[in-house]
Amino acid sequence: MGKFKRIPVKDINAMRKILDDLPDKNLGKTREEAADLLNAHILKALEKGYTVKELADIMAQGNVVIPAPVIRAKVLPAKAAPRKREPRPRPETAKPVAAPPVTSHAQEETPAYYTPDIPDTEL
């Protein structure tokens, strides 16, 4: 098996300083994050009568491009997004109840589990 190469501690400390001094590359925000940050202001503009499409156009002119569907998805659920209604159960129509068949007194006394013996000629 080969020997493991050792790294000097001074080189590790130098690399730590280099990595700590790197500039931040994540300077901007995503469209969704921008919509979340502007949420209250977008809601105020909607209350003033502007449509979501108009707001998307105004923001695009100000170099903040957030499409209308993203605004609807991120801002309007908190306010009042149109929701699908659950279908109401249909009221059951009153069906006429058939009168029970007239049974003779002899059949009423016969238990339900009893089946009379029928001769083969009647089958």
Side-chain angles (χ1 to χ4, degrees):
M1 191 190 277
K3 284 187 171 183
F4 292 107
K5 183 178 177 186
R6 296 214 166 260
I7 300 171
V9 175
K10 68 176 184 159
D11 291 343
I12 294 172
N13 288 335
M15 185 52 60
R16 185 179 295 149
K17 182 170 179 1
I18 291 171
L19 292 175
D20 286 342
D21 293 340
L22 287 175
D24 190 10
K25 290 180 78 176
N26 188 13
L27 299 176
K29 300 288 184 187
T30 65
R31 292 175 175 176
E32 289 80 9
E33 291 170 335
D36 286 338
L37 291 172
L38 296 171
N39 188 354
H41 301 284
I42 292 172
L43 289 175
K44 283 182 185 178
L46 288 171
E47 289 175 4
K48 290 180 181 179
Y50 288 92
T51 65
V52 175
K53 185 162 176 25
E54 289 172 333
L55 292 176
D57 292 339
I58 291 169
M59 289 192 294
Q61 292 171 2
N63 203 23
V64 178
V65 180
I66 304 175
V70 174
I71 295 172
R72 283 188 197 98
K74 284 301 199 175
V75 176
L76 292 182
K79 186 179 178 186
R83 296 181 184 155
K84 291 184 179 179
R85 293 186 306 151
E86 293 182 19
R88 285 188 267 162
R90 293 183 182 178
E92 293 186 26
T93 57
K95 296 179 183 176
V97 179
V102 179
T103 58
S104 67
H105 183 63
Q107 287 181 345
E108 289 178 8
E109 294 175 3
T110 307
Y113 58 87
Y114 177 75
T115 52
D117 190 48
I118 302 174
D120 291 340
T121 58
E122 293 181 18
L123 294 176

